[in-house]
Amino acid sequence: MNITKEQIDDLNAVVKVAITKEDYQDKVESILNDYRKQANIPGFRKGHVPMGLIKKQYGKAVLVDEVNKLIQDNLNKYLTEEKLDVLGNPLPKQQDNFDWENDQLDFEFELGLAPTFEVPLKTKKALTYYKIVADKKMIDDQVERIQKQYGKLVNQKEVAKDFEVIGTFKNEAEEIENKTTIELDKVKSKKALNSLLGKKVGDEVTLATKGLFKEDYLLSSVLGVSQEKAKDLDIEVAFTIEEINEREPAKLDQELFDKLFGKDIVKSTEELKDKIKEDSEKQFEQQSDQKLLNDITEYFIENTKFDLPAEFLTKWIKMTGEEPLSDDQANEEFEKSEKGLRYQLIEGKIIKDHDIQIQFDELKDFAKGFIKTQMAQFGQLNPQEEELDNIAARVLGNQDEVKRLSEQLMSQKLLTLYKEKVNLKTKEVTYENFVKEVYG
């Protein structure tokens, strides 16, 4: 077998594969002999079918199969040995009137080659890294939410501001009958609030659904209807009051602190606020990091210039798709995937240039950290190391999980590199201003 490469241009090449009978004949004969031993053909004893008949029935199929295996194994080996960085897979060139009886079988494959380019990490333009801080208002609001969440309900005789009212909504025409709790501080409609204030158990009030709550999604749950139905619902509903409660805020004492964070971790209101600030800003850092990663990705795609073998890739998409594609459809698919392919090449180049690798021990520790975070959400704050090792072993036994965690760890390593090398400017903002600035 002989394999040669003809360079068409920087991004395209043709590989020629020449196969002679010596390359496949022994293997084909061996397989046909096995067929002969097993063949059951009327008129012949098993194992005594003439070889000529076996060759006539199976010869070409066996030959084609063995040649294809030879090509696949040796072509892949050739691409690896020659260190050819190809995009997609080699595409066989169409040959009319191909003769499988020739002493030499010649095949040609088109290659799309990855472009050569550099990715300087020191960006010309300074990119913004948002440092999100928890301001006094946010911390005070969180303290208030905690007190409310862990507070106790005190039964009252009539509805007053910020009380919680249990009752049943009814509307026969819309087949609505649902018992629920209304928190008055979440009611938006002033008319509805005025209708409820001063009312007692057993009273019935009529409320309009449109604009009833500050958050639209609440209407669906209190009426017991789907979000889709609640979205455009503009009717009146009867609400019968069954219970009236005032939520008495929990005291900011050691019992509450221990319930929230574990024994003696927080010992005062100031320490509680410091802990809320620390935990909030740690969560905000994840959003800041994701924003930075997105911005750097966009910057590199826009500012790293290189050509792609577009004609080859469009043809490859057309020939390898699950469904047959027209030329226009293949062009459209290429345009959709081009941006992702460009960043895939850029990221691969950065990983290679900076020798970023993932070791198994790193992946295991990363998985354990991920598991520990999940367990903490369910109140398991101090799991045993042996337990973490066992869970991590099960997780890493799943190839899909290994792929997912590896991608996350690689993103983390790239982010660390970017923070060291990319030209960044830090901007300190509150979470509210971050959302306004980033998401409009």
Side-chain angles (χ1 to χ4, degrees):
M1 178 183 294
N2 185 39
I3 302 180
T4 57
K5 176 171 73 75
E6 178 188 344
Q7 194 76 28
I8 306 300
D9 55 39
D10 289 344
L11 299 174
N12 295 275
V14 172
V15 168
K16 298 180 179 181
V17 181
I19 298 177
T20 63
K21 283 188 176 180
E22 287 76 15
D23 296 317
Y24 60 79
Q25 194 162 22
D26 289 348
K27 183 68 174 175
V28 169
E29 292 290 341
S30 173
I31 293 171
L32 291 175
N33 273 323
D34 288 341
Y35 276 28
R36 187 187 181 205
K37 290 174 187 176
Q38 301 300 323
N40 283 311
I41 296 179
F44 300 97
R45 283 184 298 149
K46 186 176 180 179
H48 289 77
V49 179
M51 180 56 80
L53 188 55
I54 294 294
K55 285 184 177 180
K56 185 175 181 181
Q57 281 197 332
Y58 304 109
K60 187 173 181 180
V62 172
L63 169 63
V64 171
D65 189 44
E66 287 307 307
V67 168
N68 281 332
K69 287 179 184 175
L70 269 174
I71 291 172
Q72 186 174 348
D73 292 345
N74 287 279
L75 188 54
N76 288 338
K77 184 180 176 184
Y78 174 81
L79 296 177
T80 302
E81 289 175 350
E82 295 295 315
K83 297 180 180 177
L84 293 175
D85 194 0
V86 300
L87 301 178
N89 295 314
L91 288 179
K93 292 186 76 172
Q94 186 68 36
Q95 299 184 63
D96 296 328
N97 303 317
F98 188 83
D99 189 355
W100 288 92
E101 300 297 326
N102 286 341
D103 290 338
Q104 178 172 303
L105 303 176
D106 295 310
F107 302 90
E108 293 186 355
F109 295 87
E110 296 177 63
L111 300 183
L113 305 177
T116 301
F117 58 91
E118 297 300 323
V119 188
L121 293 186
K122 196 69 177 176
T123 56
K124 294 177 182 177
K125 170 188 170 185
L127 302 180
T128 301
Y129 178 70
Y130 291 92
K131 179 174 171 49
I132 308 172
V133 296
D135 60 358
K136 183 178 183 302
K137 182 180 182 304
M138 172 177 277
I139 295 168
D140 289 344
D141 286 348
Q142 181 64 10
V143 170
E144 190 177 313
R145 277 194 291 273
I146 289 170
Q147 288 184 275
K148 187 174 180 181
Q149 181 182 348
Y150 289 90
K152 63 179 180 179
L153 292 175
V154 179
N155 192 255
Q156 301 292 341
K157 291 184 177 180
E158 65 178 48
V159 179
K161 186 181 177 185
D162 293 339
F163 279 14
E164 296 180 17
V165 183
I166 298 173
T168 300
F169 278 107
K170 286 185 181 179
N171 180 297
E172 289 185 13
E174 295 292 336
E175 298 182 341
I176 292 170
E177 183 171 348
N178 192 55
K179 185 172 180 177
T180 188
T181 299
I182 297 179
E183 297 177 43
L184 263 62
D185 61 350
K186 293 181 179 177
V187 174
K188 179 182 178 182
S189 168
K190 288 183 180 179
K191 184 177 179 181
L193 277 172
N194 290 333
S195 298
L196 289 163
L197 292 175
K199 295 297 186 291
K200 298 177 181 179
V201 172
D203 288 347
E204 181 181 294
V205 294
T206 301
L207 304 175
T209 58
K210 190 171 180 63
L212 181 57
F213 293 104
K214 294 174 184 177
E215 302 290 344
D216 291 339
Y217 73 90
L218 290 171
L219 186 64
S220 166
S221 61
V222 300
L223 295 183
V225 300
S226 68
Q227 289 282 1
E228 190 63 32
K229 180 173 181 177
K231 188 169 73 171
D232 299 313
L233 198 62
D234 185 5
I235 59 171
E236 289 188 337
V237 286
F239 181 68
T240 303
I241 297 172
E242 298 170 20
E243 190 176 326
I244 302 165
N245 294 304
E246 180 183 13
R247 189 171 287 274
E248 188 176 285
K251 291 179 181 178
L252 296 175
D253 56 17
Q254 197 59 49
E255 183 183 352
L256 177 62
F257 301 153
D258 290 348
K259 190 181 291 185
L260 290 170
F261 303 107
K263 187 167 177 57
D264 292 337
I265 292 174
V266 169
K267 297 183 179 180
S268 68
T269 302
E270 284 310 307
E271 285 184 16
L272 169 65
K273 291 182 177 182
D274 289 342
K275 190 77 170 73
I276 290 172
K277 181 177 175 65
E278 179 189 341
D279 291 349
S280 297
E281 291 181 355
K282 190 178 288 185
Q283 290 181 339
F284 295 154
E285 190 176 348
Q286 295 175 4
Q287 295 187 53
S288 294
D289 286 348
Q290 189 58 56
K291 170 63 177 166
L292 179 62
L293 200 56
N294 293 344
D295 288 347
I296 290 174
T297 298
E298 288 297 323
Y299 179 88
F300 284 149
I301 291 172
E302 292 297 322
N303 292 277
T304 308
K305 304 299 181 184
F306 55 81
D307 292 326
L308 291 170
E311 186 177 339
F312 168 84
L313 290 170
T314 304
K315 187 188 293 187
W316 179 72
I317 289 170
K318 181 179 180 181
M319 293 180 67
T320 58
E322 292 182 7
E323 301 288 336
L325 297 178
S326 66
D327 289 342
D328 287 343
Q329 287 172 323
N331 279 319
E332 187 178 338
E333 285 300 313
F334 172 69
E335 287 172 7
K336 285 180 186 175
S337 60
E338 182 180 2
K339 191 173 182 179
L341 174 58
R342 284 184 177 278
Y343 186 68
Q344 195 176 358
L345 291 170
I346 291 167
E347 187 181 83
K349 175 71 171 167
I350 294 170
I351 291 169
K352 182 179 178 182
D353 285 352
H354 297 273
D355 194 27
I356 304 175
Q357 299 178 26
I358 293 177
Q359 306 297 337
F360 179 77
D361 286 345
E362 287 180 303
L363 188 61
K364 183 180 177 183
D365 287 343
F366 184 73
K368 285 164 68 175
F370 186 75
I371 293 162
K372 198 171 180 180
T373 300
Q374 287 190 315
M375 292 175 77
Q377 293 174 357
F378 294 95
Q380 295 175 267
L381 300 176
N382 295 299
Q384 296 295 315
E385 196 66 23
E386 184 180 355
E387 184 181 10
L388 287 173
D389 283 333
N390 291 336
I391 298 173
R394 290 199 297 272
V395 169
L396 295 175
N398 182 318
Q399 288 305 307
D400 289 337
E401 285 297 308
V402 170
K403 182 175 183 292
R404 183 178 66 83
L405 289 169
S406 296
E407 288 172 352
Q408 290 181 358
L409 180 54
M410 181 56 74
S411 289
Q412 193 177 89
K413 283 175 169 275
L414 285 168
L415 189 63
T416 301
L417 175 70
Y418 295 156
K419 285 182 177 180
E420 291 173 2
K421 303 290 185 182
V422 170
N423 183 13
L424 299 179
K425 59 180 179 183
T426 301
K427 184 173 183 179
E428 192 170 290
V429 292
T430 64
Y431 183 72
E432 185 179 357
N433 287 336
F434 172 78
V435 171
K436 285 179 183 176
E437 191 164 329
V438 172
Y439 303 108

